[in-house]
Structures are given as structure tokens and as C-alpha cells.
Amino acid sequence: NADASTTGESALISMNNHWIANVATSITPLLEPDVTRPDPCVESTTAEETSPCSTAAEQAAAEQYCAALNGAIDSPYHNCFDDVDPAQLFEDCVFDHCADPSMACDTLQLYEEECQAAGELDFTSVVDACGVCNGDGTSCWPSCHALGDPHYSTFDGMRYNWQGQCEYVLTSDCRGGRRSASGFEVHVRNSRRRPLPGRQATVTEAVAVRFPVQRNTVVLEMFRSVADHRLDGLPLPALPYIDPSGNRISSLGRGLSVFVAAVNATVTWNAGSTVRVTLAAGSPLVNNTCGLCG
């Protein structure tokens, strides 16, 4: 159920360096806060983003990859340009490619969805059946993502938009009908972005991943600034980092990737607005998840 976690559940995310829970529920937080709880759903501001491209070659490669959004007359999206201005998404695509090339495809997918929403269907898609840009349709693994303001794609391919401004369960191990059966959960915080005429727009600004390590669980908190990332409340160790249970945390530009060995799943965050959860072959979570990802 793709919207199971939008009501009736306690969604947790770090705020002001501690965890809070939806006060309307009685579910125990993952980590008890050690200070008075603030209101659980508040607006926040974000700092100006700087490009993660470190060299001219990286910048050029990113612009080449994202060329379909550059407004050129030979673009496969040319027929949509009058209805949906690609300029901002071109910048977003270049930014994402420099941070992590695998994340840039999400921006191209987002533009295609916005073209369809505007009623423009006469364009050539660059996204294959597996959600891979310029792919051949042979690389499908179950994957869920939230991107933009925000657009969701569930593990079973359902696409929808959710403009809630709060903290939500993106996905959780729900084997046996019990949430977080293995200790694995992913939570997101959505906050208001820039106002758009006639509608509220929110964007994912932070992600928290809870996962098992030996007999305990730890929490990785990921924000838009490298300095703010935390592992169980402490600054991150040197990356890449592998813990005793084989979980691996790696840097992706300003963002992070965490592989959770117990469930054979990878969570990536581009430190912008895109979070993706991918279940590898043999993951016990296939058809056993709950949350916004289905």
C-alpha cells in the first residue's frame, strides 16, 4: 500500500540533533530524545547549493549526459519545451551527475513525468523499462525513489505525488506484518521548497536509515551538508566505512550510499532532493515492505 505511512504511523527523523515522533501516536521512537520535543512538523530553510563538480571534465561530462534538457532543437524532448521549461531541471541534472552519475537519470525521469502531466506526449523517452536512462531494459531490480517536489515511484512501479510537509516512513521491513522486523527502516523529512502558483510544493531535505549491526541497530542521518551527516549521533568515520555486520557507507559527492547487508538493500541520497532504495537479487524485502515505497 503506497500511502500506508501517510497516516496512523509514527515517522521519525532527526531534528535539532535528536529524534522526534509524531505526537498523535503512541509508537515508541527509534531513539528516545534527550531534550524536550519540539513540534514535529515545521518548516525550515536550506542553504544555497554549490556544484559538486570538481573539474571542468566532470562538468562537461555532466552537461553531455543531461543534454536532452538543454533546450536544443534536436533534443528528444523538444516538443515539450514550450509547455515545461527544462532550464531548472537541466541545472539539477548536471548537479546530480557530478555528485553521483547514477542519480542524474532521476531528473530526466522527472522531466518526462512533468511533460506528461502537462499533456505533452509527443516526445522520445530516454528511460528504459527498468528506469535506466539510455539503457536496454535488461537491468531491472526492485527500486523505489522520491525526487523533486516530491515524485514517488514504488517498488512495483506505481508513480504518484505526495505534497505532505512532515516526517514519513519511506520504507520498512514488514515481514510477518510487523514494521521494522529486521531493524531496517528508511525515513524522510519533507519541507516546503519554493512557492509555486496555485499549489504547495515540498521537497525531501533529510533522510534517516536505521539498520542492524550485530545485535543492535544504528541510525545513519543524512542531510544536505556533509558536515551534518551523523552515524548514531556522531560525525561519520572515514569513508568508505564497513561495520562488523558488513554494512557499507560510502560517499557520493556530498551525498551518501549505505548498503545494508542483512536485507541486501542499498539506500542512496544525493544531498539534494533525491533518495533511492534498491533491493538487490535475493533480498528478503521483495514483496515484504511497507511505507511510501509500497
Side-chain angles (χ1 to χ4, degrees):
N1 185 350
D3 61 356
S5 295
T6 61
T7 60
E9 289 200 62
S10 173
L12 313 175
I13 196 74
S14 180
M15 185 178 280
N16 301 328
N17 293 325
H18 63 280
W19 285 68
I20 61 175
N22 189 324
V23 296
T25 72
S26 59
I27 298 175
T28 303
L30 301 181
L31 296 178
E32 290 289 349
D34 55 7
V35 297
T36 302
R37 293 178 179 174
D39 291 338
C41 303
V42 298
E43 296 183 20
S44 62
T45 57
T46 54
E48 184 72 18
E49 295 177 341
T50 57
S51 173
C53 293
S54 58
T55 66
E58 287 184 359
Q59 180 76 22
E63 292 178 359
Q64 177 64 33
Y65 182 91
C66 302
L69 295 170
N70 67 4
I73 194 170
D74 60 348
S75 166
Y77 301 147
H78 174 70
N79 290 333
C80 187
F81 289 161
D82 288 341
D83 297 303
V84 182
D85 186 353
Q88 182 59 57
L89 287 180
F90 176 71
E91 293 181 10
D92 292 347
C93 181
V94 171
F95 182 99
D96 289 346
H97 191 279
C98 289
D100 171 22
S102 68
M103 303 294 281
C105 184
D106 292 337
T107 308
L108 296 170
Q109 290 178 323
L110 175 57
Y111 186 76
E112 293 189 6
E113 291 172 2
E114 293 190 354
C115 287
Q116 293 170 358
E120 178 55 67
L121 304 178
D122 186 18
F123 64 86
T124 302
S125 176
V126 302
V127 184
D128 72 7
C130 297
V132 176
C133 289
N134 304 310
D136 60 6
T138 63
S139 59
C140 297
W141 279 356
S143 178
C144 164
H145 67 251
L147 67 147
D149 57 348
H151 304 267
Y152 294 90
S153 177
T154 68
F155 289 121
D156 54 4
M158 175 183 171
R159 294 177 182 270
Y160 67 98
N161 301 328
W162 174 252
Q163 295 298 329
Q165 184 180 346
C166 200
E167 290 82 43
Y168 302 101
V169 177
L170 183 66
T171 193
S172 177
D173 179 354
C174 284
R175 284 176 287 176
R178 185 168 59 91
R179 206 182 91 191
S180 192
S182 64
F184 174 74
E185 285 191 301
V186 182
H187 296 252
V188 293
R189 183 205 293 159
N190 294 352
S191 64
R192 183 168 296 177
R193 197 173 191 180
R194 50 182 179 270
L196 297 177
R199 68 185 179 97
Q200 172 182 310
T202 61
V203 65
T204 303
E205 70 166 6
V207 179
V209 184
R210 180 180 186 237
F211 55 93
V213 177
Q214 296 181 321
R215 296 184 178 182
N216 300 309
T217 60
V218 299
V219 179
L220 173 65
E221 303 166 271
M222 301 182 286
F223 300 90
R224 288 184 170 169
S225 169
V226 174
D228 291 337
H229 300 327
R230 292 290 185 271
L231 182 61
D232 255 10
L234 300 175
L236 294 184
L239 301 181
Y241 169 75
I242 302 177
D243 67 29
S245 292
N247 304 306
R248 180 184 178 94
I249 303 173
S250 306
S251 60
L252 293 173
R254 293 183 305 122
L256 293 173
S257 171
V258 54
F259 168 71
V260 181
V263 293
N264 209 13
T266 300
V267 182
T268 56
W269 164 242
N270 74 343
S273 64
T274 301
V275 55
R276 179 182 296 275
V277 183
T278 302
L279 308 181
S283 172
L285 298 186
V286 175
N287 296 322
N288 287 303
T289 59
C290 54
L292 292 175
C293 281

